[in-house]
Amino acid sequence: MPTLTKTLALLPALSLFCALGAAPAAMAQSSSAMSEAAGATTGLGTHHRFTSVAAANGQCPGDTIVWHSGPGMSYVMPGTPAYGKSGGFYACKAEADTAGFHNSNM
């Protein structure tokens, strides 16, 4: 049974190797996924929610800035009556779309 003894001797090293191998995969998550893991309610974590259009433009210059409010996964576009109203946040349209949000005006 020398083979079994050698196998058992390798188990601690194998366990460590597996644990270390899993760490980079966990680190490879998107910032939205990490925000969700930290308790965000949507794929748009706090680092992708802005209190002003100017702040959102700093994150994604050239992208359309949308407005989200309420519990759903929809946003409104600039120029609509609900834009910037009723306690919500501004976000980059591309990031909102990637996180599963959709345009409520469609």
Side-chain angles (χ1 to χ4, degrees), residues 2-106:
T3 305
L4 180 59
T5 304
K6 288 180 184 178
T7 302
L8 291 175
L10 291 176
L11 282 179
L14 181 60
S15 296
L16 179 61
F17 178 76
C18 289
L20 291 176
M27 293 175 159
Q29 291 182 356
S30 71
S31 58
S32 291
M34 288 186 295
S35 293
E36 281 186 331
T41 58
T42 69
L44 276 176
T46 55
H47 296 294
H48 300 275
R49 301 174 185 198
F50 303 96
T51 57
S52 70
V53 172
N57 274 326
Q59 170 77 18
C60 51
D63 194 5
T64 300
I65 305 303
V66 297
W67 175 257
H68 168 76
S69 64
M73 295 288 287
S74 63
Y75 56 77
V76 294
M77 300 291 287
T80 60
Y83 190 78
K85 306 273 191 281
S86 70
F89 59 86
Y90 295 97
C92 306
K93 182 181 181 304
E95 290 180 352
D97 290 341
T98 299
F101 286 75
H102 61 278
N103 186 344
S104 67
N105 301 331
M106 296 180 119

